Amino acid sequence: MEAEEALESIKQIFEERKGKVVLLSKLEEKVFLLSWQGMNYSQMPSKIGKPNPTAKPYTEQYLKEIGKKLIDKIKKVLNIDDLDKRNFREELENFFERNYNYHTKKLSYSTAPESDYTSSPDLPNNPISELNQNPFIPFSGRVEEKYLFFDREREIRRVFEVLNSGSSIVLIGEEGIGKSSLLWMINQQAKNFLKTERQPVFLDLNLLHNESQFYSELCYEIGIAESKDYQLTRNLRSCKILLAIDNVGKLTGEGFTRNIRDYLRGLAEGSNAPLKLILAATEPLNNLFKDSQEQGNTSPLAGICQEEHIHPWDESTMRAFITKRLARTSVSFAKEEIIQLIQESGGHPRKLMQLCYQTYSRYVESLQ
């Protein structure tokens, strides 16, 4: 099977997963094609061009991050636990071979089950079954699948109220509180809830290390020629972008200056501005960017972003989360265990997820 045919088959499967936010970015598609051809990450930067041919190529480390995300998505959708970069083509070709219907000349496959966690089907006789796969995922990192996202309806409504009023917004909360997952989900739902249509763009500053990379990635995701300063302003005149920036505190790092924050403010001011911003930060922007305070000024971004504080889950929400995740398994946590999970997690979703994952694993191991 040729690389392009394999990619189209994967995209077909992804698109048919109704109700789930699982898509491949343009960059993930390029990494897919090169991985299928057996190319390693160190070879890819010279093969993946950017809109501006004079721009610096992607780094090997950045493409590794993209490749990991790509493989994780495919593993979840196709239920291929052993898929990795080394056996990428072999495992997928085996999958296509097993699931190709020679009569219809189409794939006839069974993807990961729709996890609505609302019904409890009959349990199989074997207690160690697919039904008992650990439901407390992802163990770390943001939640990118809609069916795994839980709670935060009030915060989502609030964010779209602010955006639809013409303002930008910053989500403020501690590490592990769920800001990244919330930011991702808001960006994915923009087309359904924004009154004025805007193209959603998501940037994770943990993957970008200086202003040059920031502008390069921004232009790439928008789909315009790589540019900055006045030329970028001109290129954005006909655009309407909803720009989500995760880990905005990275802008205090060595590779960034206040200029980028001033520039973003200029592009986001006014109800009809090219950009509207959704930022995620661990503290208020005036506290985060202390260079503004030292100069007696307000942080440029703080001046245009309304604050939405993301608080820990309360006890009832944590109980509902545990119940929902366990609903389609044969496992039940003891009351004492649930109380301990609630107390130890302190209402932090990531911590609760990790503790529940460990507790669930112990249950399954005891049944083996």
Side-chain angles (χ1 to χ4, degrees):
M1 180 181 284
E2 297 298 324
E4 291 77 9
E5 184 183 357
L7 176 59
E8 287 305 311
S9 297
I10 292 293
K11 289 168 65 176
Q12 172 195 338
I13 295 172
F14 276 32
E15 289 169 4
E16 291 178 1
R17 292 190 74 192
K18 295 181 180 179
K20 296 184 180 180
V21 186
V22 185
L23 300 172
L24 295 183
S25 68
K26 294 178 182 178
L27 188 52
E28 286 173 333
E29 291 184 8
K30 292 181 179 180
V31 171
F32 180 100
L33 294 172
L34 295 178
S35 296
W36 188 270
Q37 296 167 16
M39 198 170 293
N40 58 46
Y41 292 120
S42 64
Q43 297 171 307
M44 291 185 186
S46 63
K47 300 293 183 180
I48 300 181
K50 291 187 175 182
N52 182 354
T54 63
K56 293 181 180 179
Y58 292 107
T59 65
E60 178 183 349
Q61 181 59 38
Y62 182 70
L63 292 178
K64 281 183 179 179
E65 294 287 342
I66 296 299
K68 181 179 182 300
K69 182 186 294 187
L70 166 68
I71 290 172
D72 285 345
K73 286 183 179 180
I74 295 174
K75 287 170 67 174
K76 290 178 183 177
V77 176
L78 272 58
N79 284 335
I80 305 178
D81 294 333
D82 297 329
L83 183 68
D84 58 31
K85 182 68 173 66
R86 293 168 298 177
N87 62 15
F88 187 79
R89 179 168 180 169
E90 179 185 359
E91 285 293 326
L92 290 179
E93 283 186 326
N94 289 339
F95 172 86
F96 292 136
E97 180 67 24
R98 290 194 307 270
N99 294 279
Y100 188 78
N101 187 318
Y102 288 93
H103 178 69
T104 63
K105 295 184 178 181
K106 292 182 179 180
L107 283 171
S108 177
Y109 52 85
S110 176
T111 62
E114 184 76 31
S115 301
D116 57 18
Y117 300 107
T118 57
S119 61
S120 298
D122 293 335
L123 300 179
N125 293 327
N126 180 9
I128 306 301
S129 65
E130 290 185 1
L131 190 62
N132 281 326
Q133 291 180 355
N134 202 313
F136 294 99
I137 55 172
F139 187 76
S140 61
R142 62 176 173 261
V143 176
E144 295 186 352
E145 285 75 22
K146 186 178 179 180
Y147 75 106
L148 290 177
F149 189 78
F150 185 78
D151 193 49
R152 302 301 189 191
E153 289 87 356
R154 186 199 68 79
E155 289 86 349
I156 291 175
R157 286 196 301 271
R158 166 67 178 159
V159 167
F160 282 110
E161 286 174 3
V162 171
L163 293 173
N164 285 324
S165 74
S167 296
S168 294
I169 192 165
V170 55
L171 309 177
I172 300 173
E174 304 169 50
E175 288 288 340
I177 207 70
K179 301 184 300 300
S180 296
S181 300
L182 179 57
L183 191 69
W184 177 269
M185 199 53 56
I186 290 168
N187 214 41
Q188 298 301 313
Q189 295 190 24
K191 63 182 179 181
N192 298 322
F193 296 106
L194 281 182
K195 293 180 179 177
T196 301
E197 184 176 352
R198 288 182 176 272
Q199 175 189 349
V201 171
F202 189 98
L203 297 182
D204 184 352
L205 292 193
N206 275 340
L207 302 177
L208 306 173
H209 306 295
N210 54 54
E211 292 184 11
S212 176
Q213 291 181 8
F214 177 91
Y215 286 120
S216 176
E217 189 66 11
L218 175 63
C219 292
Y220 181 85
E221 290 295 330
I222 293 174
I224 59 177
E226 189 165 317
S227 53
K228 59 186 299 186
D229 301 330
Y230 178 67
Q231 186 60 49
L232 176 56
T233 303
R234 291 187 62 181
N235 292 343
L236 288 174
R237 283 178 181 170
S238 60
C239 299
K240 289 289 181 288
I241 308 296
L242 178 64
L243 177 58
I245 304 179
D246 197 10
N247 300 298
V248 74
K250 284 288 296 293
L251 290 181
T252 61
E254 190 174 319
F256 299 94
T257 67
R258 179 188 165 109
N259 293 340
I260 193 170
R261 287 175 274 139
D262 287 325
Y263 186 67
L264 286 173
R265 174 176 179 142
L267 290 174
E269 279 195 296
S271 58
N272 202 37
L275 299 184
K276 284 299 163 199
L277 305 175
I278 325 173
L279 312 177
T282 55
E283 54 186 310
L285 298 180
N286 266 335
N287 298 343
L288 191 61
F289 301 113
K290 297 187 182 299
D291 57 344
S292 300
Q293 294 182 7
E294 292 167 0
Q295 299 170 19
N297 299 320
T298 300
S299 168
L301 296 178
I304 60 167
C305 292
Q306 295 193 37
E307 296 182 354
E308 177 67 19
H309 289 265
I310 310 302
H311 300 288
W313 282 344
D314 59 22
E315 180 177 341
S316 62
T317 302
M318 288 187 279
R319 289 182 178 275
F321 169 76
I322 295 171
T323 299
K324 192 170 186 180
R325 288 297 177 96
L326 290 176
R328 290 194 62 176
T329 75
S330 61
V331 172
S332 297
F333 291 171
K335 292 182 179 179
E336 296 76 12
E337 288 175 321
I338 294 176
I339 293 173
Q340 184 175 358
L341 290 168
I342 289 171
Q343 292 175 343
E344 290 186 12
S345 70
H348 287 67
R350 181 193 298 169
K351 183 66 173 176
L352 180 63
M353 183 81 80
Q354 293 172 345
L355 290 170
C356 288
Y357 184 97
Q358 295 162 4
T359 302
Y360 187 93
S361 295
R362 288 195 296 270
Y363 265 93
V364 174
E365 287 171 5
S366 70
L367 294 174
Q368 292 178 331

